[in-house]
Amino acid sequence: MEEEEEDEEELSTPAPPLIFGSGSGSEMPVQIPDDSDFSSFKDQCLSSDGWISRYNKGGVTVWCREEESKTVQKLKMRIVCKDVTAETLYDVLHDTPYRRKWDTNMIDTYDIGRLTVNADVGYYSWKCPTPLKNRDFVTMRSWLPLGSDYLIINYSVKHPQHPPKKDYVRAVSLLTGYLIQSNGANCSTLYYLTQVDPRGSLPKWVVNRVSQFVAPKAMRKIYKASLKYPDWKRKHNPNLKPWMFPEQNTLPCISVSELTVQRADSLENIDESGLTEEKTHHSDDEET
């Protein structure tokens, strides 16, 4: 199932220009991304500098990147989606009720409040490979249609009413997001880039499993979900798309002043490096 890693020399790895929540020090105020931040994220998705290909099969490519901090995991993925428009992909990634149908690694997700017409705060928890503890996030998400491109990016924030939970490890998204590009009338390309501090020393098998199996499966799930979405949406509030029509958004308004950037060094760090992989059936093995 796994492919051999390609013997590629690692290229120079300049620090990406857009990183939130890294480092240490006093709490930082939250800043809503502007056009230059979205452009910077797009450049990272399209750039090959510093990225090492770890998987390339069946239309899915996965790259990894070494960071100065060994605790940070950085992955980039790409899939070409035939018979799916960029607009449909964009809707699938926004539509929370539909996500509950296809994202089998998700434990829970909910919106907390809106900041602007194209920014909100939400909660997401996901199943980690057994026997690791499950992780959760509170993130500030922002989105922007840009010509024929669509972008969604997020980073971790602290909200006073949503502190870390006892049964989860609160992980930190330094920068995570999607770039969707139109490839003509009925074809699109999806990029997913994530830079996450999982707040734990992970065993090597976890990193390998994610790049070789979990990540490609996740991209294929999004593609399959996108093929089915138009039929599903016709039967489930077909005109409700608050990510496109802000007047439909019923979330409570919250102020940026209520939030601070979630710094990794303020959270518990656990050592799971000695855990061994359990040969059991995982949810990410399932077809959608």
Side-chain angles (χ1 to χ4, degrees):
M1 185 173 295
E2 296 186 3
E3 294 187 339
E4 293 185 0
E5 295 180 358
E6 299 178 16
D7 294 325
E8 296 187 20
E9 292 295 327
E10 184 178 0
L11 304 175
S12 60
T13 56
L18 179 64
I19 296 294
F20 299 100
S22 56
S24 59
S26 59
E27 291 190 337
M28 291 175 55
V30 166
Q31 294 182 331
I32 296 174
D34 59 21
D35 288 359
S36 64
D37 293 322
F38 283 102
S39 295
S40 171
F41 179 79
K42 177 182 174 180
D43 290 344
Q44 290 189 61
C45 288
L46 300 179
S47 172
S48 60
D49 290 347
W51 293 95
I52 304 170
S53 176
R54 295 299 191 199
Y55 179 99
N56 190 351
K57 182 180 178 182
V60 179
T61 308
V62 180
W63 298 268
C64 296
R65 183 166 179 162
E66 295 293 334
E67 293 298 305
E68 290 183 9
S69 170
K70 296 300 182 183
T71 63
V72 173
Q73 308 297 322
K74 190 164 186 181
L75 287 176
K76 180 168 65 173
M77 296 156 247
R78 180 186 66 201
I79 185 170
V80 176
C81 299
K82 298 177 182 178
D83 300 318
V84 175
T85 66
E87 292 87 349
T88 295
L89 266 174
Y90 188 59
D91 289 348
V92 166
L93 295 171
H94 272 290
D95 203 326
T96 300
Y98 189 60
R99 189 177 196 110
R100 297 182 187 279
K101 292 185 65 65
W102 63 264
D103 189 353
T104 53
N105 288 324
M106 181 184 75
I107 300 171
D108 190 20
T109 188
Y110 54 83
D111 298 322
I112 295 170
R114 55 175 164 161
L115 296 164
T116 68
V117 294
N118 70 323
D120 62 17
V121 178
Y123 173 86
Y124 180 89
S125 55
W126 61 288
K127 302 172 190 173
C128 287
T130 305
L132 301 182
K133 289 187 175 181
N134 294 325
R135 263 64 176 177
D136 69 356
F137 300 84
V138 172
T139 61
M140 195 281 291
R141 181 184 61 160
S142 188
W143 55 92
L144 184 70
L146 204 60
S148 60
D149 297 337
Y150 296 84
L151 297 102
I152 306 171
I153 60 178
N154 76 59
Y155 66 93
S156 285
V157 297
K158 291 172 69 174
H159 188 286
Q161 296 177 12
H162 298 271
K165 298 183 178 183
K166 180 179 66 173
D167 297 330
Y168 292 89
V169 176
R170 178 61 51 90
V172 177
S173 167
L174 302 175
L175 176 64
T176 297
Y178 300 93
L179 166 66
I180 306 164
Q181 295 194 305
S182 177
N183 291 344
N186 204 31
C187 184
S188 52
T189 300
L190 173 66
Y191 291 86
Y192 175 67
L193 186 152
T194 181
Q195 183 166 355
V196 170
D197 187 332
R199 302 314 298 149
S201 301
L202 300 178
K204 185 173 176 54
W205 66 261
V206 172
V207 179
N208 290 339
R209 177 175 167 79
V210 167
S211 64
Q212 296 290 322
F213 190 72
V214 177
K217 271 287 186 183
M219 295 298 278
R220 292 191 179 103
K221 280 185 180 180
I222 296 174
Y223 179 24
K224 290 178 181 179
S226 299
L227 290 169
K228 299 175 182 178
Y229 180 73
D231 285 340
W232 180 89
K233 188 61 175 175
R234 277 192 285 271
K235 303 170 187 174
H236 299 83
N237 296 314
N239 298 316
L240 183 63
K241 296 184 179 182
W243 53 93
M244 292 180 60
F245 309 111
E247 66 275 9
Q248 296 178 346
N249 196 323
T250 59
L251 288 175
C253 292
I254 58 177
S255 170
V256 174
S257 63
E258 299 177 49
L259 310 170
T260 54
V261 173
Q262 176 66 75
R263 289 191 172 280
D265 57 9
S266 70
L267 293 167
E268 177 188 9
N269 194 55
I270 62 173
D271 185 0
E272 296 176 296
S273 58
L275 296 176
T276 56
E277 184 173 11
E278 294 185 4
K279 301 296 184 181
T280 57
H281 185 82
H282 299 288
S283 64
D284 50 73
D285 296 340
E286 299 169 1
E287 294 293 334
T288 56

mmCIF file of all heavy atoms in Angstrom, residues 59 78-90 148-150 179-191 222-223 226-227:
data_model
loop_
_atom_site.group_PDB
_atom_site.id
_atom_site.type_symbol
_atom_site.label_atom_id
_atom_site.label_comp_id
_atom_site.label_asym_id
_atom_site.label_seq_id
_atom_site.Cartn_x
_atom_site.Cartn_y
_atom_site.Cartn_z
ATOM 1 N N GLY A 59 -3.586 10.174 -8.904
ATOM 2 C CA GLY A 59 -4.021 11.563 -9.004
ATOM 3 C C GLY A 59 -3.803 12.395 -7.757
ATOM 4 O O GLY A 59 -4.154 13.572 -7.728
ATOM 5 N N ARG A 78 -2.263 17.632 -3.120
ATOM 6 C CA ARG A 78 -2.939 18.110 -4.327
ATOM 7 C C ARG A 78 -3.697 16.955 -4.965
ATOM 8 O O ARG A 78 -3.222 15.832 -5.027
ATOM 9 C CB ARG A 78 -1.918 18.659 -5.330
ATOM 10 C CG ARG A 78 -2.552 19.191 -6.635
ATOM 11 C CD ARG A 78 -1.467 19.585 -7.636
ATOM 12 N NE ARG A 78 -0.720 18.419 -8.084
ATOM 13 C CZ ARG A 78 0.504 18.477 -8.627
ATOM 14 N NH1 ARG A 78 1.122 19.633 -8.752
ATOM 15 N NH2 ARG A 78 1.109 17.375 -9.024
ATOM 16 N N ILE A 79 -4.911 17.269 -5.430
ATOM 17 C CA ILE A 79 -5.688 16.291 -6.172
ATOM 18 C C ILE A 79 -6.412 17.013 -7.300
ATOM 19 O O ILE A 79 -6.925 18.119 -7.117
ATOM 20 C CB ILE A 79 -6.693 15.544 -5.267
ATOM 21 C CG1 ILE A 79 -7.415 14.439 -6.050
ATOM 22 C CG2 ILE A 79 -7.688 16.502 -4.619
ATOM 23 C CD1 ILE A 79 -8.241 13.508 -5.168
ATOM 24 N N VAL A 80 -6.413 16.397 -8.467
ATOM 25 C CA VAL A 80 -7.181 16.917 -9.602
ATOM 26 C C VAL A 80 -8.568 16.276 -9.559
ATOM 27 O O VAL A 80 -8.693 15.048 -9.484
ATOM 28 C CB VAL A 80 -6.481 16.603 -10.940
ATOM 29 C CG1 VAL A 80 -7.342 17.056 -12.108
ATOM 30 C CG2 VAL A 80 -5.109 17.285 -10.991
ATOM 31 N N CYS A 81 -9.594 17.114 -9.581
ATOM 32 C CA CYS A 81 -10.971 16.646 -9.428
ATOM 33 C C CYS A 81 -11.722 16.797 -10.754
ATOM 34 O O CYS A 81 -12.228 17.885 -11.073
ATOM 35 C CB CYS A 81 -11.674 17.428 -8.326
ATOM 36 S SG CYS A 81 -10.893 17.256 -6.706
ATOM 37 N N LYS A 82 -11.792 15.722 -11.505
ATOM 38 C CA LYS A 82 -12.541 15.731 -12.761
ATOM 39 C C LYS A 82 -14.037 15.706 -12.461
ATOM 40 O O LYS A 82 -14.485 15.096 -11.499
ATOM 41 C CB LYS A 82 -12.149 14.522 -13.610
ATOM 42 C CG LYS A 82 -10.682 14.509 -14.019
ATOM 43 C CD LYS A 82 -10.345 13.250 -14.797
ATOM 44 C CE LYS A 82 -8.863 13.220 -15.170
ATOM 45 N NZ LYS A 82 -8.502 11.977 -15.886
ATOM 46 N N ASP A 83 -14.802 16.377 -13.315
ATOM 47 C CA ASP A 83 -16.267 16.437 -13.188
ATOM 48 C C ASP A 83 -16.718 17.135 -11.905
ATOM 49 O O ASP A 83 -17.823 16.905 -11.417
ATOM 50 C CB ASP A 83 -16.879 15.032 -13.247
ATOM 51 C CG ASP A 83 -16.570 14.333 -14.566
ATOM 52 O OD1 ASP A 83 -16.645 14.987 -15.604
ATOM 53 O OD2 ASP A 83 -16.232 13.132 -14.534
ATOM 54 N N VAL A 84 -15.867 17.990 -11.355
ATOM 55 C CA VAL A 84 -16.220 18.791 -10.184
ATOM 56 C C VAL A 84 -15.755 20.224 -10.428
ATOM 57 O O VAL A 84 -14.585 20.449 -10.721
ATOM 58 C CB VAL A 84 -15.558 18.254 -8.899
ATOM 59 C CG1 VAL A 84 -15.849 19.191 -7.721
ATOM 60 C CG2 VAL A 84 -16.042 16.848 -8.574
ATOM 61 N N THR A 85 -16.662 21.167 -10.316
ATOM 62 C CA THR A 85 -16.282 22.567 -10.505
ATOM 63 C C THR A 85 -15.619 23.106 -9.250
ATOM 64 O O THR A 85 -15.794 22.576 -8.142
ATOM 65 C CB THR A 85 -17.515 23.434 -10.819
ATOM 66 O OG1 THR A 85 -18.377 23.465 -9.665
ATOM 67 C CG2 THR A 85 -18.280 22.902 -12.024
ATOM 68 N N ALA A 86 -14.871 24.176 -9.419
ATOM 69 C CA ALA A 86 -14.230 24.826 -8.288
ATOM 70 C C ALA A 86 -15.278 25.331 -7.296
ATOM 71 O O ALA A 86 -15.086 25.259 -6.075
ATOM 72 C CB ALA A 86 -13.353 25.983 -8.771
ATOM 73 N N GLU A 87 -16.390 25.825 -7.818
ATOM 74 C CA GLU A 87 -17.454 26.328 -6.953
ATOM 75 C C GLU A 87 -18.029 25.221 -6.066
ATOM 76 O O GLU A 87 -18.316 25.436 -4.881
ATOM 77 C CB GLU A 87 -18.575 26.946 -7.792
ATOM 78 C CG GLU A 87 -18.181 28.225 -8.518
ATOM 79 C CD GLU A 87 -17.539 27.955 -9.876
ATOM 80 O OE1 GLU A 87 -17.216 26.765 -10.166
ATOM 81 O OE2 GLU A 87 -17.355 28.910 -10.632
ATOM 82 N N THR A 88 -18.187 24.010 -6.633
ATOM 83 C CA THR A 88 -18.710 22.892 -5.849
ATOM 84 C C THR A 88 -17.744 22.498 -4.742
ATOM 85 O O THR A 88 -18.144 22.263 -3.591
ATOM 86 C CB THR A 88 -19.000 21.686 -6.760
ATOM 87 O OG1 THR A 88 -20.048 22.019 -7.669
ATOM 88 C CG2 THR A 88 -19.419 20.469 -5.936
ATOM 89 N N LEU A 89 -16.462 22.421 -5.062
ATOM 90 C CA LEU A 89 -15.462 22.104 -4.036
ATOM 91 C C LEU A 89 -15.509 23.115 -2.898
ATOM 92 O O LEU A 89 -15.447 22.755 -1.713
ATOM 93 C CB LEU A 89 -14.060 22.095 -4.661
ATOM 94 C CG LEU A 89 -13.504 20.759 -5.143
ATOM 95 C CD1 LEU A 89 -12.179 20.979 -5.854
ATOM 96 C CD2 LEU A 89 -13.320 19.791 -3.983
ATOM 97 N N TYR A 90 -15.612 24.368 -3.256
ATOM 98 C CA TYR A 90 -15.667 25.454 -2.280
ATOM 99 C C TYR A 90 -16.878 25.282 -1.364
ATOM 100 O O TYR A 90 -16.778 25.403 -0.137
ATOM 101 C CB TYR A 90 -15.737 26.776 -3.038
ATOM 102 C CG TYR A 90 -15.618 28.037 -2.207
ATOM 103 C CD1 TYR A 90 -14.496 28.280 -1.423
ATOM 104 C CD2 TYR A 90 -16.617 29.004 -2.253
ATOM 105 C CE1 TYR A 90 -14.375 29.459 -0.694
ATOM 106 C CE2 TYR A 90 -16.509 30.185 -1.530
ATOM 107 C CZ TYR A 90 -15.378 30.408 -0.761
ATOM 108 O OH TYR A 90 -15.265 31.585 -0.050
ATOM 109 N N SER A 148 -10.740 33.103 -10.478
ATOM 110 C CA SER A 148 -11.138 31.708 -10.649
ATOM 111 C C SER A 148 -10.618 30.825 -9.518
ATOM 112 O O SER A 148 -10.797 29.606 -9.541
ATOM 113 C CB SER A 148 -10.626 31.175 -11.995
ATOM 114 O OG SER A 148 -9.217 31.260 -12.061
ATOM 115 N N ASP A 149 -9.968 31.440 -8.533
ATOM 116 C CA ASP A 149 -9.455 30.710 -7.375
ATOM 117 C C ASP A 149 -10.366 30.931 -6.168
ATOM 118 O O ASP A 149 -11.028 31.965 -6.045
ATOM 119 C CB ASP A 149 -8.047 31.178 -7.005
ATOM 120 C CG ASP A 149 -7.031 30.916 -8.100
ATOM 121 O OD1 ASP A 149 -7.272 30.024 -8.939
ATOM 122 O OD2 ASP A 149 -5.991 31.605 -8.107
ATOM 123 N N TYR A 150 -10.357 29.951 -5.268
ATOM 124 C CA TYR A 150 -11.069 30.063 -3.999
ATOM 125 C C TYR A 150 -10.101 29.650 -2.897
ATOM 126 O O TYR A 150 -9.427 28.625 -3.018
ATOM 127 C CB TYR A 150 -12.295 29.152 -3.970
ATOM 128 C CG TYR A 150 -13.353 29.498 -4.992
ATOM 129 C CD1 TYR A 150 -13.266 29.019 -6.303
ATOM 130 C CD2 TYR A 150 -14.437 30.301 -4.654
ATOM 131 C CE1 TYR A 150 -14.231 29.325 -7.243
ATOM 132 C CE2 TYR A 150 -15.419 30.612 -5.584
ATOM 133 C CZ TYR A 150 -15.308 30.123 -6.872
ATOM 134 O OH TYR A 150 -16.275 30.441 -7.803
ATOM 135 N N LEU A 179 -6.587 25.743 -1.279
ATOM 136 C CA LEU A 179 -6.603 26.529 -2.512
ATOM 137 C C LEU A 179 -7.311 25.696 -3.564
ATOM 138 O O LEU A 179 -6.929 24.551 -3.819
ATOM 139 C CB LEU A 179 -5.182 26.872 -2.973
ATOM 140 C CG LEU A 179 -5.051 27.398 -4.410
ATOM 141 C CD1 LEU A 179 -5.738 28.751 -4.572
ATOM 142 C CD2 LEU A 179 -3.579 27.480 -4.837
ATOM 143 N N ILE A 180 -8.356 26.265 -4.142
ATOM 144 C CA ILE A 180 -9.097 25.585 -5.209
ATOM 145 C C ILE A 180 -8.916 26.382 -6.489
ATOM 146 O O ILE A 180 -9.164 27.596 -6.514
ATOM 147 C CB ILE A 180 -10.599 25.499 -4.873
ATOM 148 C CG1 ILE A 180 -10.815 24.849 -3.508
ATOM 149 C CG2 ILE A 180 -11.342 24.728 -5.958
ATOM 150 C CD1 ILE A 180 -12.203 25.059 -2.944
ATOM 151 N N GLN A 181 -8.479 25.723 -7.536
ATOM 152 C CA GLN A 181 -8.278 26.382 -8.824
ATOM 153 C C GLN A 181 -9.130 25.722 -9.883
ATOM 154 O O GLN A 181 -9.187 24.494 -9.991
ATOM 155 C CB GLN A 181 -6.797 26.335 -9.228
ATOM 156 C CG GLN A 181 -5.891 27.122 -8.301
ATOM 157 C CD GLN A 181 -4.519 27.348 -8.891
ATOM 158 O OE1 GLN A 181 -3.829 26.414 -9.276
ATOM 159 N NE2 GLN A 181 -4.091 28.597 -8.954
ATOM 160 N N SER A 182 -9.788 26.543 -10.692
ATOM 161 C CA SER A 182 -10.615 26.038 -11.774
ATOM 162 C C SER A 182 -9.744 25.600 -12.945
ATOM 163 O O SER A 182 -8.804 26.296 -13.329
ATOM 164 C CB SER A 182 -11.592 27.124 -12.225
ATOM 165 O OG SER A 182 -12.354 26.669 -13.321
ATOM 166 N N ASN A 183 -10.073 24.434 -13.493
ATOM 167 C CA ASN A 183 -9.359 23.920 -14.667
ATOM 168 C C ASN A 183 -10.314 23.774 -15.842
ATOM 169 O O ASN A 183 -10.395 22.732 -16.465
ATOM 170 C CB ASN A 183 -8.732 22.545 -14.375
ATOM 171 C CG ASN A 183 -7.602 22.626 -13.387
ATOM 172 O OD1 ASN A 183 -7.072 23.693 -13.126
ATOM 173 N ND2 ASN A 183 -7.242 21.497 -12.802
ATOM 174 N N GLY A 184 -11.080 24.807 -16.122
ATOM 175 C CA GLY A 184 -12.039 24.724 -17.208
ATOM 176 C C GLY A 184 -13.451 24.604 -16.679
ATOM 177 O O GLY A 184 -13.721 24.819 -15.500
ATOM 178 N N ALA A 185 -14.362 24.224 -17.568
ATOM 179 C CA ALA A 185 -15.790 24.265 -17.247
ATOM 180 C C ALA A 185 -16.182 23.288 -16.150
ATOM 181 O O ALA A 185 -17.030 23.593 -15.319
ATOM 182 C CB ALA A 185 -16.607 23.980 -18.506
ATOM 183 N N ASN A 186 -15.578 22.123 -16.113
ATOM 184 C CA ASN A 186 -16.039 21.102 -15.171
ATOM 185 C C ASN A 186 -14.885 20.291 -14.597
ATOM 186 O O ASN A 186 -14.940 19.067 -14.495
ATOM 187 C CB ASN A 186 -17.036 20.167 -15.842
ATOM 188 C CG ASN A 186 -17.955 19.486 -14.845
ATOM 189 O OD1 ASN A 186 -18.268 20.046 -13.803
ATOM 190 N ND2 ASN A 186 -18.381 18.269 -15.160
ATOM 191 N N CYS A 187 -13.823 20.992 -14.198
ATOM 192 C CA CYS A 187 -12.656 20.328 -13.617
ATOM 193 C C CYS A 187 -11.948 21.321 -12.702
ATOM 194 O O CYS A 187 -11.967 22.534 -12.955
ATOM 195 C CB CYS A 187 -11.711 19.834 -14.710
ATOM 196 S SG CYS A 187 -10.281 18.896 -14.095
ATOM 197 N N SER A 188 -11.358 20.828 -11.642
ATOM 198 C CA SER A 188 -10.681 21.719 -10.704
ATOM 199 C C SER A 188 -9.536 20.984 -10.022
ATOM 200 O O SER A 188 -9.450 19.753 -10.056
ATOM 201 C CB SER A 188 -11.671 22.240 -9.653
ATOM 202 O OG SER A 188 -12.366 21.175 -9.039
ATOM 203 N N THR A 189 -8.655 21.766 -9.410
ATOM 204 C CA THR A 189 -7.537 21.222 -8.641
ATOM 205 C C THR A 189 -7.633 21.741 -7.216
ATOM 206 O O THR A 189 -7.828 22.937 -6.993
ATOM 207 C CB THR A 189 -6.187 21.634 -9.246
ATOM 208 O OG1 THR A 189 -6.105 21.146 -10.586
ATOM 209 C CG2 THR A 189 -5.027 21.051 -8.439
ATOM 210 N N LEU A 190 -7.515 20.829 -6.269
ATOM 211 C CA LEU A 190 -7.578 21.181 -4.853
ATOM 212 C C LEU A 190 -6.212 20.997 -4.215
ATOM 213 O O LEU A 190 -5.600 19.935 -4.331
ATOM 214 C CB LEU A 190 -8.605 20.293 -4.139
ATOM 215 C CG LEU A 190 -8.664 20.424 -2.612
ATOM 216 C CD1 LEU A 190 -9.150 21.809 -2.196
ATOM 217 C CD2 LEU A 190 -9.554 19.327 -2.022
ATOM 218 N N TYR A 191 -5.731 22.051 -3.551
ATOM 219 C CA TYR A 191 -4.527 21.983 -2.728
ATOM 220 C C TYR A 191 -4.941 22.091 -1.264
ATOM 221 O O TYR A 191 -5.824 22.885 -0.908
ATOM 222 C CB TYR A 191 -3.581 23.145 -3.041
ATOM 223 C CG TYR A 191 -2.926 23.104 -4.390
ATOM 224 C CD1 TYR A 191 -3.570 23.624 -5.511
ATOM 225 C CD2 TYR A 191 -1.650 22.561 -4.561
ATOM 226 C CE1 TYR A 191 -2.971 23.613 -6.756
ATOM 227 C CE2 TYR A 191 -1.047 22.543 -5.815
ATOM 228 C CZ TYR A 191 -1.703 23.062 -6.901
ATOM 229 O OH TYR A 191 -1.108 23.049 -8.138
ATOM 230 N N ILE A 222 -12.701 13.904 -0.059
ATOM 231 C CA ILE A 222 -13.237 15.208 -0.451
ATOM 232 C C ILE A 222 -13.704 15.161 -1.903
ATOM 233 O O ILE A 222 -14.770 15.687 -2.250
ATOM 234 C CB ILE A 222 -12.192 16.313 -0.249
ATOM 235 C CG1 ILE A 222 -11.850 16.467 1.239
ATOM 236 C CG2 ILE A 222 -12.696 17.647 -0.808
ATOM 237 C CD1 ILE A 222 -10.721 17.439 1.514
ATOM 238 N N TYR A 223 -12.905 14.541 -2.750
ATOM 239 C CA TYR A 223 -13.264 14.432 -4.173
ATOM 240 C C TYR A 223 -14.576 13.659 -4.333
ATOM 241 O O TYR A 223 -15.510 14.116 -5.017
ATOM 242 C CB TYR A 223 -12.122 13.748 -4.924
ATOM 243 C CG TYR A 223 -12.347 13.548 -6.414
ATOM 244 C CD1 TYR A 223 -13.226 14.359 -7.134
ATOM 245 C CD2 TYR A 223 -11.666 12.550 -7.106
ATOM 246 C CE1 TYR A 223 -13.422 14.170 -8.501
ATOM 247 C CE2 TYR A 223 -11.851 12.354 -8.464
ATOM 248 C CZ TYR A 223 -12.735 13.164 -9.152
ATOM 249 O OH TYR A 223 -12.926 12.981 -10.496
ATOM 250 N N SER A 226 -17.499 15.595 -3.181
ATOM 251 C CA SER A 226 -17.836 16.683 -4.101
ATOM 252 C C SER A 226 -18.656 16.189 -5.286
ATOM 253 O O SER A 226 -19.535 16.899 -5.782
ATOM 254 C CB SER A 226 -16.548 17.369 -4.591
ATOM 255 O OG SER A 226 -15.837 17.928 -3.511
ATOM 256 N N LEU A 227 -18.387 14.968 -5.740
ATOM 257 C CA LEU A 227 -19.179 14.391 -6.827
ATOM 258 C C LEU A 227 -20.638 14.189 -6.414
ATOM 259 O O LEU A 227 -21.552 14.331 -7.223
ATOM 260 C CB LEU A 227 -18.569 13.049 -7.255
ATOM 261 C CG LEU A 227 -17.232 13.103 -7.991
ATOM 262 C CD1 LEU A 227 -16.628 11.706 -8.102
ATOM 263 C CD2 LEU A 227 -17.393 13.718 -9.381
#
